[in-house]
Amino acid sequence: MTLDSESQIAVLFVCMGNICRSPTAEAVFRKRVSEAGLSDAFRIDSAGTHAYHVGHPPDGRSQEVTEANGISMSGQRARRVRDEDFFEFDYVFAMDRLNLVTLQEREPDDSTAALSLLLGEAPMLDEEEVPDPYYGGRKGFDTVFSLIDTACAHILETLIHRHQLR
């Protein structure tokens, strides 16, 4: 299936600094989409609500965990959410409530993006927010990866059915 950029389903993952959680979600979702043979059907990116790390690669601990799970984050660089994102992306998934509220406050009235919590799309996890692992150790990054991986699998299946991709 080959779609032009206007037909692609555009998905944006957002956390605060765009170096831990959201780039992990971008990488995990991109891998799942690729494995499903649907890379041409999706546009996938990540961003932060704050500009703390713009231009920096993902946190080394996030890279270690994704690489240990067979997923590359190479080429990713942190960026801040732009006003255009509210029109260029169909789905914007925030990692926690604080980032969701920040997005809602910035969202233009005529935005076309659907904003939600990432884990709100995966109720089977019985968690509402992806915790920020930045100040913790490796175990926190492993937990974040597991939550994101499960949520991304569920989101992909939901979008496949919603958009009749199979």
Side-chain angles (χ1 to χ4, degrees), residues 17-52:
N18 192 216
I19 60 166
C20 295
R21 296 171 290 174
S22 58
T24 297
E26 175 188 347
V28 167
F29 193 70
R30 187 177 308 281
K31 171 90 181 219
R32 287 193 166 276
V33 164
S34 175
E35 289 174 346
L38 295 170
S39 295
D40 290 342
F42 285 89
R43 176 176 171 223
I44 305 161
D45 200 359
S46 63
T49 54
H50 293 71
Y52 302 137

Side-chain angles (χ1 to χ4, degrees), residues 87-164:
F87 302 95
E88 294 177 4
F89 289 90
D90 303 302
Y91 303 95
V92 178
F93 296 107
M95 298 297 126
D96 59 39
R97 287 194 195 293
L98 178 60
N99 287 297
L100 180 59
V101 168
T102 301
L103 288 167
Q104 290 168 333
E105 290 171 350
R106 286 193 55 192
E107 181 181 23
D109 290 338
D110 57 345
S111 167
T112 56
L115 307 181
S116 63
L117 286 172
L118 179 78
L119 297 187
E121 302 298 318
M124 77 289 288
L125 289 171
D126 203 29
E127 297 281 341
E128 294 183 2
E129 301 180 306
V130 178
D132 189 347
Y134 187 75
Y135 294 105
R138 168 72 186 250
K139 184 177 180 187
F141 285 85
D142 288 331
T143 298
V144 163
F145 180 89
S146 179
L147 290 170
I148 287 172
D149 187 45
T150 300
C152 284
H154 188 263
I155 288 167
L156 179 58
E157 286 305 313
T158 299
L159 295 179
I160 286 170
H161 287 82
R162 184 177 296 157
H163 295 276
Q164 301 175 347

Side-chain angles (χ1 to χ4, degrees), residues 67-97:
E67 287 173 11
N69 285 279
I71 300 171
S72 173
M73 298 174 100
S74 67
Q76 287 189 18
R77 293 290 179 266
R79 73 172 183 87
R80 188 171 185 198
V81 171
R82 306 173 312 237
D83 290 342
E84 306 87 65
D85 291 334
F86 294 99
F87 302 95
E88 294 177 4
F89 289 90
D90 303 302
Y91 303 95
V92 178
F93 296 107
M95 298 297 126
D96 59 39
R97 287 194 195 293

